[in-house]
Amino acid sequence: MSSFGRYIPLGLAVAFGIWNGYYAFKPAFKELQMGSQQSLAKDLQPIEKQTDANNQQKPPKDDASSNR
């Protein structure tokens, strides 16, 4: 029974450390997540516009020339 009593303070210290890390770094993780989502949206937007512009500028290929 005495060995079980040694683990209670250790368990409480570990639980408090995990909670403290979560509480302290939660705003930083949210900021990082929002920044990565915004940069991803900005990165994808020009690609979509660029592919639309490229599709409009290219003339369609003839099917007869590809069957040779």
Side-chain angles (χ1 to χ4, degrees), residues 16-41:
F16 178 75
I18 292 171
W19 175 83
N20 190 23
Y22 174 76
Y23 182 78
F25 291 109
K26 185 177 179 182
F29 287 140
K30 278 190 174 183
E31 183 180 332
L32 182 64
Q33 184 181 18
M34 294 296 283
S36 66
Q37 287 176 351
Q38 289 174 354
S39 66
L40 181 62

Side-chain angles (χ1 to χ4, degrees), residues 36-48:
S36 66
Q37 287 176 351
Q38 289 174 354
S39 66
L40 181 62
K42 287 180 183 177
D43 289 343
L44 290 178
Q45 188 176 13
I47 291 173
E48 291 171 355

